Amino acid sequence: MEKCLLIRYGEIYLKGKNRKYFEDMLENNIKKAVSGYNCQFFKIPGRFVLGGYKASDEPKIISLVQKQAGVFSLSNSVCVDTDLDVISKIACEMMEGESGTFKVETNRADKTFSLNSMEVSKQIGGDILKSNHYLKVDVIKPEQTLNIDIRE
């Protein structure tokens, strides 16, 4: 389990075959912005991931990345193996000590993963409820949302 930042970018390309050009430009801009910090940069389809940094550097790194044109959003994340048991264990740990209402939202970009998005959300949500009796599910207006992004 490694803490990381998941960086989403919007439609940064125009018509034609220039998507790679603009993705590469954004990648270079992000790398340049955080070059003073010890970060590892990973490119995955439709996302960038920054990891390996010191926890104390995170607020400054977030600020620098958010200023880059083309960055749509970023999230504090945890990178784990694509294994439902591992995902469930980490999700339960993350929700430990929490109370109120929650929901689990899953984005399953890796279509080879055995369960679909709804099945993953139901399984993880059920596991969280078993481990934390202070939480209740509310899929309409939850106080907290746990996002799971399953990627290749």
Side-chain angles (χ1 to χ4, degrees), residues 7 12 14-15 50 60-62 64 68 70 72-73 84-85 87 90 118 123-124 143 147:
I7 304 166
I12 60 172
L14 306 171
K15 293 180 181 178
L50 274 179
K60 186 62 178 167
I61 291 170
I62 289 172
L64 291 168
Q68 302 307 307
F72 177 72
S73 69
L84 189 62
D85 292 333
I87 295 169
I90 300 300
M118 187 65 74
Q123 177 68 44
I124 302 299
E143 295 169 344
N147 293 295

Side-chain angles (χ1 to χ4, degrees), residues 40-59:
Q40 296 171 328
F41 186 92
F42 304 97
K43 188 175 185 177
I44 57 177
R47 309 274 193 272
F48 297 134
V49 179
L50 274 179
Y53 53 83
K54 289 189 250 177
S56 60
D57 293 336
E58 187 175 72

Side-chain angles (χ1 to χ4, degrees), residues 50-149:
L50 274 179
Y53 53 83
K54 289 189 250 177
S56 60
D57 293 336
E58 187 175 72
K60 186 62 178 167
I61 291 170
I62 289 172
S63 175
L64 291 168
V65 171
Q66 286 176 327
K67 292 177 183 173
Q68 302 307 307
V71 171
F72 177 72
S73 69
L74 62 109
S75 301
N76 287 318
S77 304
V78 179
C79 295
V80 299
D81 291 333
T82 308
D83 176 280
L84 189 62
D85 292 333
V86 174
I87 295 169
S88 179
K89 179 179 181 274
I90 300 300
C92 289
E93 288 174 8
M94 292 175 77
M95 298 301 285
E96 188 176 311
E98 299 292 332
S99 62
T101 60
F102 81 104
K103 79 173 180 177
V104 178
E105 284 189 358
T106 303
N107 177 18
R108 183 186 63 122
D110 181 2
K111 300 305 180 194
T112 64
F113 193 74
S114 60
L115 301 176
N116 66 33
S117 297
M118 187 65 74
E119 293 168 334
V120 172
S121 294
K122 283 172 50 178
Q123 177 68 44
I124 302 299
D127 292 346
I128 290 170
L129 285 175
K130 287 176 192 170
S131 68
N132 185 337
H133 301 290
Y134 299 107
L135 285 169
K136 292 183 181 176
V137 174
D138 182 349
V139 295
I140 307 298
K141 292 184 179 179
E143 295 169 344
Q144 301 176 59
T145 302
L146 179 70
N147 293 295
I148 299 173
D149 199 0

